[in-house]
C-alpha cells in the first residue's frame, strides 16, 4: 500500500549541486545537454508565443515558464508505443514527441491544422486538453485499449494540481487501480489553480497521497529537477510495462507567470511571494550543474540560445505566413462521420 507520508525525491538542489548519487543517465554529459537544450527551446517558444499573443497574432496561451522540467523529464523517457495525453502546458513534451513549433503556433492561433500532427510519433498522442481533468478518463481508456490490444505501451496523462480535486481524476485513478492499467498520471503542482491556492482547493498533505484510495503508488518529486522527474517517470513506466499497474507522480514546482495570457496574477499574489521561486527554477538549476560538473561553456550557452531563438523565429514566420483555413474546417476534425445537425450547420458556412 502506498505510504501517504512520502518524501520528495530530488537529485539537484536549487544551486544545481547533487544531494545524492545521480542515476547513470545523469552522469552522461550528452544526455544532460539534451535535456537542458529541450528546456531552453521550450522557454524560447514560450517567450515568442506570449509576444505573439500580446500583439494580437495568437490566441490565449498557457505558459510553462518555470515548469519546463516536468514535460521534458516525462517525455524524455517515453517510448514510441506510449501515448501522451497532455493538458495545456506541455509544449516541451509535445515537441519532444514530434509536434512541430509551427503546429503549436497554429493550434494556439485557433487553426485546427495545429492538431493534425505530421510526425508519426505525435499522431499517436492526444491534442492539447484545456478542460480541467477530463484527460484522465481518456488516459484510463487508452490504457485499457493498450491492454486489450496486447501492446506494451503506457498512457501518460499530465494535468495541474487543480485537476486532482475533480471527479474525473478520482474516477479514472480508481479504474487504473482496479484493473491494474498501464497508466502514469503526472500532476504539475504549480501551487495555483488559476487564482486559487493549492491549500485552498484540497486539504491533502500531498497530492501524491491521493493515490492511496486507488491502491496505486504515489510519488512526490521535485518538479524543478529534471533529473528527478525523468528518473521517477522512468521507474513508473517500467512498472507499468511489467504489468504492475499505474503510478501517480506529483511534481512540485511553481507557476512563475500568469495562469494564461488572459490572467493577471498580480491581482491575487504579491511579487514578494513569487521572487524566491526564481532561484529554484529548472533551467538555471541544470545550467549550474552543467557548468560545475561538465564544463558547460559560455560559447556553448550562447550557441544554444542562438539556435533556439532562430528556430522559434523561423517557426513563427511560417505560422504568420500561413493562410487561414476555410471556415468550414471547424466542423471537419471532430467526427469520422459528421452528425446530421452539424452537417447542416456546416452547409450554412461560406468558405469565402
Amino acid at each position: 500500500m502506498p505510504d501517504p507520508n512520502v518524501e520528495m525525491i530530488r537529485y539537484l538542489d536549487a544551486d544545481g549541486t547533487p544531494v545524492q548519487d545521480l542515476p547513470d543517465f545523469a552522469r552522461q554529459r550528452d544526455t544532460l545537454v539534451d535535456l537542458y537544450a529541450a528546456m531552453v527551446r521550450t522557454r524560447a517558444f514560450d517567450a515568442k508565443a506570449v509576444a505573439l499573443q500580446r500583439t494580437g497574432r495568437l490566441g490565449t496561451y498557457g505558459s510553462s515558464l518555470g515548469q519546463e522540467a516536468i514535460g521534458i523529464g516525462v517525455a524524455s523517457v517515453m517510448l514510441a508505443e506510449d501515448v501522451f495525453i497532455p493538458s495545456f502546458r506541455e509544449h516541451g513534451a509535445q515537441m519532444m514527441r514530434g509536434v512541430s513549433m509551427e503546429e503549436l503556433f497554429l493550434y494556439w492561433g485557433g487553426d485546427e491544422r495545429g492538431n493534425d500532427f505530421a510526425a508519426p510519433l505525435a499522431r499517436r498522442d492526444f491534442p492539447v486538453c484545456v478542460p480541467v481533468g477530463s484527460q484522465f478518463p481518456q488516459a484510463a481508456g487508452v490504457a485499457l485499449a493498450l491492454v486489450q490490444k496486447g501492446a506494451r505501451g503506457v498512457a501518460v496523462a499530465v494535468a495541474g494540481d487543480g485537476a486532482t480535486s475533480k471527479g474525473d481524476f478520482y474516477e479514472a485513478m480508481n479504474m487504473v487501480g482496479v484493473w491494474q492499467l498501464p497508466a502514469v498520471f503526472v500532476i504539475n503542482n504549480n501551487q495555483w489553480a488559476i487564482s486559487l491556492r493549492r491549500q485552498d482547493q484540497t486539504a491533502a498533505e500531498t497530492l501524491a497521497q491521493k493515490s492511496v484510495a486507488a491502491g496505486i503508488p504515489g510519488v512526490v518529486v521535485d518538479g524543478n529537477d529534471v533529473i528527478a522527474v525523468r528518473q521517477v517517470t522512468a521507474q513508473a513506466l517500467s512498472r507499468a510495462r511489467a504489468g504492475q499497474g499505474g503510478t501517480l507522480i506529483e511534481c512540485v514546482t511553481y507557476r512563475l507567470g500568469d495562469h494564461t495570457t488572459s490572467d493577471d496574477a498580480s491581482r491575487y499574489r504579491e511579487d514578494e511571494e513569487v521572487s524566491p521561486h526564481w532561484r529554484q527554477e529548472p533551467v538555471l538549476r541544470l545550467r549550474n550543474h552543467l557548468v560545475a560538473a561538465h564544463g558547460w561553456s559560455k560559447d556553448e550557452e550562447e550557441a544554444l540560445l542562438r539556435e533556439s531563438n532562430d528556430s522559434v523565429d523561423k517557426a513563427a514566420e511560417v505560422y504568420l505566413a500561413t493562410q487561414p483555413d476555410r471556415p468550414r474546417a471547424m466542423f471537419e476534425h471532430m467526427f469520422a462521420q459528421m452528425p446530421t445537425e452539424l452537417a447542416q450547420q456546416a452547409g450554412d458556412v461560406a468558405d469565402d
Side-chain angles (χ1 to χ4, degrees), residues 242-256:
Q244 297 174 1
T247 302
L248 174 64
I249 303 173
E250 175 188 354
C251 298
V252 180
T253 183
Y254 192 84
R255 199 190 76 211
L256 294 175

Side-chain angles (χ1 to χ4, degrees), residues 112-131:
E112 291 289 348
R113 289 172 293 183
N115 283 327
D116 189 14
F117 308 139
L121 178 62
R123 292 188 75 85
R124 288 183 57 84
D125 296 340
F126 278 43
V128 168
C129 180
V130 174

Side-chain angles (χ1 to χ4, degrees), residues 52 79 107-108 129 152 161-162 168 203 207 242 267 279 306 337 343 349:
L52 290 172
L79 301 181
Y107 169 79
W108 290 105
C129 180
R152 65 186 296 266
D161 48 286
D168 308 67
L207 302 181
R267 298 177 62 185
R279 296 191 291 272
R306 282 196 303 272
Q337 183 172 354
V349 176

Side-chain angles (χ1 to χ4, degrees), residues 98 114 196 226:
L196 191 65
V226 69

Side-chain angles (χ1 to χ4, degrees), residues 19-350:
V19 295
Q20 61 171 309
D21 290 340
L22 297 178
D24 288 342
F25 77 85
R27 298 190 182 98
Q28 301 171 19
R29 188 183 198 270
D30 289 348
T31 300
L32 292 184
V33 169
D34 287 345
L35 293 172
Y36 178 64
M39 290 196 292
V40 169
R41 280 192 290 270
T42 302
R43 187 163 291 188
F45 175 85
D46 243 18
K48 176 61 74 172
V50 171
L52 290 172
Q53 192 281 328
R54 297 306 191 204
T55 53
R57 295 176 291 174
L58 202 71
T60 299
Y61 175 76
S63 171
S64 63
L65 179 64
Q67 301 160 73
E68 297 90 351
I70 298 172
I72 299 305
V74 168
S76 67
V77 285
M78 291 180 64
L79 301 181
E81 54 263 42
D82 298 331
V83 180
F84 188 54
I85 303 101
S87 65
F88 53 89
R89 296 193 198 281
E90 285 70 59
H91 327 297
Q94 288 184 286
M95 286 188 278
M96 291 193 80
R97 296 282 293 171
V99 180
S100 71
M101 292 183 186
E102 293 89 342
E103 289 168 338
L104 288 174
F105 281 134
L106 284 170
Y107 169 79
W108 290 105
D111 193 317
E112 291 289 348
R113 289 172 293 183
N115 283 327
D116 189 14
F117 308 139
L121 178 62
R123 292 188 75 85
R124 288 183 57 84
D125 296 340
F126 278 43
V128 168
C129 180
V130 174
V132 177
S134 62
Q135 66 269 52
F136 288 119
Q138 295 168 352
V142 169
L144 179 59
L146 290 169
V147 171
Q148 292 177 336
K149 291 180 178 180
R152 65 186 296 266
V154 181
V156 181
V158 184
D161 48 286
T164 67
S165 294
K166 294 292 294 291
D168 308 67
F169 168 75
Y170 286 104
E171 292 160 11
M173 189 167 56
N174 186 61
M175 299 319 301
V176 168
V178 168
W179 291 336
Q180 289 285 283
L181 297 178
V184 176
F185 287 178
V186 180
I187 303 302
N188 177 342
N189 179 7
N190 65 23
Q191 312 303 319
W192 292 92
I194 308 183
S195 58
L196 191 65
R197 294 179 184 274
R198 175 254 191 254
Q199 59 266 35
D200 292 332
Q201 54 97 2
T202 179
E205 183 178 348
T206 69
L207 302 181
Q209 71 192 64
K210 295 188 177 190
S211 68
V212 173
I216 66 175
V219 185
V220 182
V221 61
D222 186 339
N224 293 326
D225 178 358
V226 69
I227 293 174
V229 175
R230 175 178 166 130
Q231 177 71 358
V232 168
T233 303
Q235 292 169 345
L237 289 170
S238 295
R239 186 174 176 276
R241 295 189 212 288
Q244 297 174 1
T247 302
L248 174 64
I249 303 173
E250 175 188 354
C251 298
V252 180
T253 183
Y254 192 84
R255 199 190 76 211
L256 294 175
D258 299 324
H259 174 68
T260 68
T261 51
S262 64
D263 175 45
D264 178 6
S266 67
R267 298 177 62 185
Y268 51 83
R269 65 183 191 185
E270 301 295 331
D271 289 343
E272 291 77 10
E273 175 183 341
V274 181
S275 294
H277 294 281
W278 280 98
R279 296 191 291 272
Q280 302 174 23
E281 60 97 349
V283 176
L284 176 61
R285 184 180 304 200
L286 186 54
R287 181 166 71 240
N288 287 342
H289 179 68
L290 280 171
V291 170
H294 297 284
W296 180 252
S297 68
K298 180 180 179 181
D299 288 345
E300 288 176 303
E301 177 73 13
E302 291 176 349
L304 174 59
L305 291 175
R306 282 196 303 272
E307 184 277 328
S308 298
N309 289 326
D310 287 348
S311 64
V312 171
D313 288 343
K314 290 176 182 176
E317 290 173 4
V318 172
Y319 158 68
L320 293 171
T322 301
Q323 292 299 308
D325 204 354
R326 300 167 299 111
R328 283 174 55 93
M330 71 179 77
F331 295 94
E332 297 173 352
H333 295 272
M334 182 62 71
F335 299 97
Q337 183 172 354
M338 194 181 302
T340 302
E341 60 273 18
L342 284 185
Q344 294 172 346
Q345 293 180 44
D348 295 333
V349 176

